[in-house]
Amino acid sequence: MRSKLRTTPFGLCGTPRSTDARHDPELFWALRGGGGNFGIVTSFTFRCHPVGEQGTIIGGPVFYDIADTPEVLRWYREVLPTLPEELNGWFGVVTIPPVAPFPEELQGRKAAAIVWCYSGPHDRADEVMAPIREFGSPLMVGLQPMPFSALQSAFDPLYPPGLQWYWRSDVCTEITDAAIEVHRRFGESLPTGHSTMHLYPIDGAAARVPEDATAFPYRDGGWIANIVGVDPDPANVELISQWTRDYFAALRPSSAGGTYVNFLMDEGEDRVRAAYRGNYDRLAQIKGRYDPENTFHVNQNIPPADQP
């Protein structure tokens, strides 16, 4: 099934249009990753892929003591490329939530965590996941069969609406020894129970897409480091914000230059430009064609380029 979008670009007098790789291909390219700069998408058709066995995967978190962060990260950066694509995991520094099913003696404890997802045949799971089960001295191993949707929504109840959030994010092509020390230091100084940092891998199928095939350009491997200071109390805004800014600044030496645009706050045009790297000028040209007045500007804005 071919991907298709139905959209209303303002610059075309609000006329609904259907676009895909053959119809308005430039608009189609820009809409998929352009951050709301090119119109209002009212419906879309997309391709689905089977996940696991009838939608069931084997996954969940594995927690390690926060002091083990350097050892865990050195192992993680080496083992991840050796695993089959059906098995992947993101790394985080976290506070173990003070709720069931987490053991009471671990609740509220700072930890290094990897959340794993294995979507291959279940009869191969023990073999494929053996390196994970055999590594280190985990505080808790939460790997179990579950619906894929359950893993995707597992942390939703812990982050209800109304929390105070402050974000910073960067792409790094490798996890350097210097960056590992930064993650250890700031993991040990997590300012609140909701605050966290995640490293999301860019690999597998995502890394096989050419840089200019989509608006998102960071396709040459690595991780997205997502740092978030979070707390329910407005009085702690400065606390969580300063921790996030300091963590971000300490990681900058390992930065690839930009990040995924949805992880940006109001950080200025240079950061938006860096998020799109070499694709920015093409996006600006398309913006100039479909929204020359920049009506769609309440976003990570791409100002329209002058048309020839």
Side-chain angles (χ1 to χ4, degrees):
M1 182 178 294
R2 188 173 66 248
S3 297
K4 180 181 293 186
L5 294 169
R6 184 171 175 81
T7 185
T8 303
F10 180 82
L12 296 177
C13 302
T15 304
R17 305 170 69 88
S18 292
T19 179
D20 57 30
R22 293 185 299 177
H23 304 91
D24 278 331
E26 284 293 279
L27 178 60
F28 183 65
W29 179 86
L31 283 166
R32 296 174 301 138
N37 277 279
F38 301 95
I40 300 169
V41 176
T42 57
S43 66
F44 58 90
T45 303
F46 56 93
R47 288 171 291 185
C48 294
H49 300 273
V51 175
E53 293 188 1
Q54 298 182 332
T56 299
I57 56 93
I58 297 174
V62 179
F63 295 104
Y64 304 87
D65 189 271
I66 193 68
D68 293 340
T69 296
E71 179 186 1
V72 174
L73 269 175
R74 285 193 293 268
W75 169 78
Y76 172 72
R77 71 183 179 186
E78 298 299 326
V79 77
L80 202 66
T82 72
L83 300 175
E85 289 188 4
E86 293 82 10
L87 176 61
N88 210 327
W90 56 263
F91 172 89
V93 291
V94 303
T95 300
I96 298 176
V99 295
F102 305 102
E104 188 173 344
E105 66 273 16
L106 297 181
Q107 294 179 12
R109 184 168 173 172
K110 295 175 182 177
I114 304 176
V115 179
W116 294 102
C117 178
Y118 172 65
S119 60
H122 288 196
D123 60 5
R124 292 194 60 232
D126 288 345
E127 172 192 353
V128 171
M129 303 183 81
I132 296 168
R133 296 186 183 277
E134 295 168 0
F135 169 74
S137 302
L139 301 172
M140 173 185 168
V141 178
L143 300 171
Q144 58 187 299
M146 66 181 74
F148 181 60
S149 58
L151 182 64
Q152 293 284 51
S153 59
F155 298 96
D156 291 358
L158 303 174
Y159 289 87
L163 297 176
Q164 312 296 310
W165 290 77
Y166 193 87
W167 300 67
R168 283 294 184 269
S169 183
D170 238 342
V171 171
C172 54
T173 54
E174 60 179 331
I175 301 173
T176 64
D177 289 343
I180 287 175
E181 173 58 22
V182 172
H183 293 306
R184 181 204 61 78
R185 179 158 54 97
F186 283 90
E188 291 180 349
S189 64
L190 284 164
T192 63
H194 285 87
S195 297
T196 186
M197 186 287 305
H198 296 167
L199 286 172
Y200 300 125
I202 308 169
D203 57 9
R208 290 194 292 271
V209 176
E211 180 174 321
D212 61 355
T214 70
F216 175 72
Y218 292 93
R219 300 287 186 172
D220 47 357
W223 287 264
I224 300 176
N226 201 23
I227 307 164
V228 285
V230 192
D231 196 66
D233 189 349
N236 286 329
V237 164
E238 183 53 33
L239 173 69
I240 61 176
S241 301
Q242 191 61 55
W243 174 83
T244 303
R245 287 192 294 264
D246 290 346
Y247 200 157
F248 174 73
L251 277 182
R252 286 299 281 172
S254 64
S255 171
T259 189
Y260 176 49
V261 71
N262 281 11
F263 292 154
L264 290 175
M265 294 184 72
D266 185 6
E267 300 175 39
E269 184 179 347
D270 286 347
R271 284 281 283 160
V272 177
R273 182 182 287 272
Y276 292 114
R277 207 150 61 175
N279 293 329
Y280 182 89
D281 290 342
R282 181 179 174 186
L283 288 164
Q285 287 293 329
I286 299 169
K287 183 68 177 283
R289 176 181 174 189
Y290 287 97
D291 183 17
E293 302 302 321
N294 203 16
T295 297
F296 294 106
H297 64 275
V298 185
N299 47 38
Q300 299 298 345
N301 193 234
I302 301 170
D306 294 334
Q307 298 299 291

